[in-house]
Amino acid sequence: MHGEPTLFDMAEFEREAVAAMPWEGVPLRYVTEYHHPDDLVAAFERWKGENGSFGCLMRSHMWHRAYFGRQDVAASDEAHELHMLNADTRCDIPEHDHTVDPLPGGLMYQANCPPCHWHVITEHENEAVETWHDHAMPGWRALPILPTKLSTADEKKARAVAAKWCAENYPAEWQRPGAPVITRRDPHGGRHVGGRSPFGGYDLAAPND
Ligand SMILES: [Zn+2]
């Protein structure tokens, strides 16, 4: 028994082969300048090709799509798209030298609008979503808040009730694809939820007052 390559050797060989290929895309690290989401994802895939997938979110600190399995786009009209991305910039790997590329050190959220080459990066998911709405649908903050009495655990029913209420109470120009609704939540339900408004836009949690 000698010279038989193990599975590990093969994986290592493949990673080295990927690393040997030239790369001219997005730098393979945490970046803050604007890039198209597809280019960010391509860079993350390249990093995994070179370094393997194990612990890749924390080892690479690179941007990746926030939701797997569905295209994370809420277009208000033809002009804007929302792509949500995450990056884990926490680092407890001693051999990483972050004097060259300092990291913010938290879970970072990016809202990205490819048609405008616009993006925002924050430490708070809700803030990223809200800032995109400021960008794509200014004026949304003045929309009426859905009355709490309309809320029900039955999602299908809730959607129908919200649609009816919006038809009666929303300004005409806000009754269009991608428009958000604002709803009051209990203290633990403060996350904005994409695709849950009657118009296919966000269900935004009203600020607590
Ligand atoms: Zn835009």
Side-chain angles (χ1 to χ4, degrees):
M1 293 286 282
H2 60 88
E4 281 294 308
T6 65
L7 223 50
F8 176 79
D9 291 334
M10 290 304 288
E12 186 64 31
F13 178 76
E14 280 171 24
R15 288 199 288 270
E16 282 169 11
V18 171
M21 290 189 292
W23 175 253
E24 286 170 4
V26 175
L28 303 179
R29 53 177 170 78
Y30 178 71
V31 293
T32 54
E33 68 270 24
Y34 184 83
H35 294 282
H36 192 287
D38 291 345
D39 295 334
L40 292 168
V41 170
F44 183 49
E45 291 301 316
R46 164 73 185 216
W47 188 96
K48 285 194 283 185
E50 283 185 29
N51 300 282
S53 298
F54 180 75
C56 56
L57 300 184
M58 278 197 84
R59 285 198 295 139
S60 73
H61 309 305
M62 290 174 68
W63 292 105
H64 51 278
R65 288 199 184 271
Y67 306 105
F68 296 99
R70 73 178 173 94
Q71 186 69 353
D72 185 43
V73 178
S76 64
D77 47 42
E78 298 299 303
H80 302 284
E81 295 173 13
L82 173 57
H83 297 242
M84 287 297 291
L85 299 140
N86 294 343
D88 190 339
T89 70
R90 298 171 296 183
C91 194
D92 53 8
I93 304 168
E95 60 269 28
H96 276 196
D97 178 3
H98 294 300
T99 51
V100 187
D101 303 305
L103 293 169
L107 287 171
M108 305 304 287
Y109 299 87
Q110 175 174 164
N112 187 309
C113 185
C116 303
H117 291 204
W118 175 96
H119 76 316
V120 65
I121 294 170
T122 80
E123 284 179 53
H124 305 286
E125 183 177 34
N126 277 10
E127 189 185 339
V129 171
E130 288 165 19
T131 308
W132 178 83
H133 280 81
D134 290 338
H135 160 75
M137 289 182 268
W140 69 270
R141 288 173 191 270
L143 284 170
I145 296 170
L146 252 71
T148 314
K149 63 180 166 62
L150 297 185
S151 67
T152 159
D154 182 338
E155 183 142 341
K156 209 172 158 188
K157 198 175 161 195
R159 206 182 261 267
V161 170
K164 185 169 181 291
W165 188 86
C166 288
E168 289 161 5
N169 296 280
Y170 255 37
E173 68 270 26
W174 282 96
Q175 302 193 30
R176 59 180 159 107
V181 289
I182 306 171
T183 53
R184 292 225 183 273
R185 311 283 184 79
D186 64 54
H188 303 294
R191 195 162 178 263
H192 300 331
V193 183
R196 207 167 72 181
S197 96
F199 312 105
Y202 263 79
D203 175 350
L204 300 163
N208 290 315
D209 43 21

